[in-house]
Amino acid sequence: MEQDNNSEVDSVGPTEDDTQPAFPLGLSDSEAVEVLWQVRAQRRQAEPDLPDTVTCLTTPEGSIVYLVGTAHFSDSSKKDVATTIRAVQPDVVVVELCQYRVSMLKMDEKTLLKEAKDINLEKVQQAIKQNGVMSGLMQILLLKVSAHITEQLGMAPGGEFREAFKEAGKVPFCKFHLGDRPIPVTFKRAIAALSLWQKARLAWGLCFLSDPISKEDVEKCKQKDLLEQTMSEMIGEFPALHRTIVAERDIYLTHTLRHAARCVEAPPNAEKVPAVVVGVVGMGHVPGIERNWDKELNIHEIMSVAPPSRFGWVLRNVFKGAMWGLLGYACFRASKGMGRALLSLPAIQSLLENIRTPALYCQRNQTTFS
């Protein structure tokens, strides 16, 4: 399988562990393609019996999107994904991942479990280089939340996406799309939407997250009523964060799913026929995708990152030093000494030097005049 610039991974033909059709000898390429197309059509169930977590959406052209709502740490969600893909034999599978997180598809569970628990200096530097200082540090703290759940459950995140990737490889001509907004855009827009006080409150809460989590708690997240209640609580505390991390990604995922649901060409005459799509997203995104499905969407608006405001430049620089100190302490608590490593980074030392230099200059001038 190979990935192109459109965040697509093509998967053609069943794998060795799937039932292989018997091909007559001497078939041409076009004839073999037609046989595979017919094999998939025979496997596709007209009225599939799907899990309760699946929502069916349609397009004006007649394409069908089976939206599987999942919990990201759930064995049950993996089964739901596999059942759906095997039943509907889709043309396209779309998952809630972007190109920055695609590596988790090909890692084994043991490696992922180790990576999720290990937040080291290299990861901090990579996050800061990719997203900027403030967004990068916030990403590290959110990774700490994921590590907390991983440690509590002994289960690596994203199992449903790896299951979707594996099952898509067994379906002839099935394409695999990465449907989420790039994570650097999401973090930069989220940080820009929060005030300094909100950033401090969020960092503090993420740093000291220690509540125990059971597998039963994760499975309860697949109940829409419980999930919507949790989301309502978060909206009340950080409405801007909900808008950028959830609502805007609902729009982006809707756009990606509708793009994937365009008609496909059927052999032998490349006739345009309605597509069958399976979307694999967190249950929290399902209501938003349903609401946006028939709306006109503005993707360019949610992909832009506004330049920093000049208002209060001096005040912000003073408080940024304090903010970095707080986030450094948070990461120190979370990662055993990482705070010292953060304060030694060139970017942070440069800003602290920029803040300190004018003060020293003023002090020297006062001494000269006196």
Side-chain angles (χ1 to χ4, degrees):
M1 297 184 186
E2 62 181 43
Q3 182 183 349
D4 64 19
N5 292 331
N6 294 321
S7 297
E8 173 184 309
V9 180
D10 289 342
S11 170
V12 181
T15 56
E16 294 181 358
D17 59 347
D18 200 24
T19 304
Q20 296 280 0
F23 288 99
L25 295 176
L27 284 181
S28 66
D29 289 346
S30 60
E31 289 172 334
V33 167
E34 191 171 353
V35 169
L36 274 176
W37 190 273
Q38 292 172 354
V39 167
R40 188 181 66 173
Q42 292 171 358
R43 291 176 179 173
R44 182 177 287 169
Q45 299 175 17
E47 297 181 0
D49 183 18
L50 300 176
D52 294 336
T53 54
V54 178
T55 301
C56 186
L57 303 169
T58 58
T59 70
E61 296 79 18
S63 297
I64 302 176
V65 176
Y66 296 97
L67 195 60
V68 188
T70 67
H72 294 317
F73 292 83
S74 169
D75 285 329
S76 176
S77 287
K78 291 164 61 176
K79 294 176 183 177
D80 291 351
V81 169
T83 298
T84 303
I85 293 176
R86 291 170 187 171
V88 306
Q89 295 288 296
D91 299 289
V92 184
V93 171
V94 180
V95 296
E96 185 198 329
L97 287 176
C98 68
Q99 62 267 37
Y100 294 92
R101 293 176 287 160
V102 71
S103 60
M104 72 161 53
L105 293 175
K106 297 184 179 181
M107 287 186 184
D108 59 75
E109 196 79 9
K110 184 178 179 181
T111 302
L112 275 168
L113 199 60
K114 180 181 177 182
E115 286 289 319
K117 291 180 179 179
D118 182 26
I119 303 176
N120 52 34
L121 178 59
E122 183 180 352
K123 287 186 179 180
V124 175
Q125 291 175 325
Q126 183 179 359
I128 290 175
K129 183 178 180 181
Q130 180 176 300
N131 302 307
V133 176
M134 299 297 290
S135 299
L137 292 179
M138 194 62 68
Q139 180 181 352
I140 290 298
L141 289 176
L142 290 174
L143 283 175
K144 188 250 181 184
V145 176
S146 177
H148 171 67
I149 299 175
T150 299
E151 188 173 3
Q152 292 278 316
L153 300 179
M155 181 188 302
E160 74 274 29
F161 302 138
R162 290 187 293 281
E163 192 71 17
F165 186 66
K166 182 179 73 174
E167 291 296 331
K170 301 176 184 179
V171 180
F173 310 111
C174 182
K175 295 181 179 180
F176 193 90
H177 286 197
L178 306 175
D180 203 359
R181 182 171 65 177
I183 197 167
V185 176
T186 297
F187 276 117
K188 287 176 182 178
R189 285 183 63 85
I191 291 299
L194 294 176
S195 67
L196 280 174
W197 173 241
Q198 287 175 322
K199 292 171 189 174
R201 287 174 57 203
L202 179 63
W204 191 264
L206 293 175
C207 174
F208 294 100
L209 178 72
S210 59
D211 294 338
I213 302 170
S214 67
K215 291 188 177 182
E216 290 74 20
D217 293 332
V218 175
E219 294 303 322
K220 286 178 183 178
C221 287
K222 295 169 68 176
Q223 301 174 12
K224 290 187 178 181
D225 55 342
L226 175 63
L227 189 72
E228 289 176 0
Q229 177 184 348
T230 304
M231 293 308 301
S232 296
E233 293 173 358
M234 192 178 81
I235 291 172
E237 190 168 1
F238 298 107
L241 198 64
H242 173 267
R243 184 180 68 252
T244 52
I245 292 182
V246 180
E248 290 182 0
R249 289 172 60 223
D250 289 345
I251 294 172
Y252 193 93
L253 288 165
T254 304
H255 169 76
T256 307
L257 288 164
R258 292 200 313 208
H259 182 80
R262 295 179 302 178
C263 290
V264 297
E265 295 180 351
N269 301 319
E271 178 186 358
K272 294 284 187 179
V273 297
V276 174
V277 177
V278 171
V280 182
V281 301
M283 181 59 77
H285 290 292
V286 173
I289 293 172
E290 288 186 277
R291 285 193 299 269
N292 291 314
W293 189 248
D294 296 318
K295 294 181 180 179
E296 186 175 344
L297 306 176
N298 186 349
I299 297 302
H300 297 293
E301 181 181 346
I302 63 171
M303 289 297 292
S304 62
V305 179
S309 173
R310 293 183 178 181
F311 177 75
W313 182 87
V314 175
L315 185 62
R316 279 202 314 275
N317 276 279
V318 171
F319 277 100
K320 273 185 179 180
M323 187 65 190
W324 275 323
L326 174 63
L327 290 175
Y329 176 70
C331 291
F332 173 83
R333 287 291 303 268
S335 307
K336 297 180 180 178
M338 194 173 296
R340 297 192 187 105
L342 287 172
L343 293 175
S344 67
L345 289 175
I348 295 179
Q349 290 183 347
S350 175
L351 181 75
L352 293 176
E353 183 65 25
N354 288 337
I355 295 173
R356 186 167 59 246
T357 300
L360 291 174
Y361 179 76
C362 292
Q363 184 178 2
R364 288 172 183 171
N365 284 343
Q366 289 176 356
T367 304
T368 302
F369 288 128
S370 60

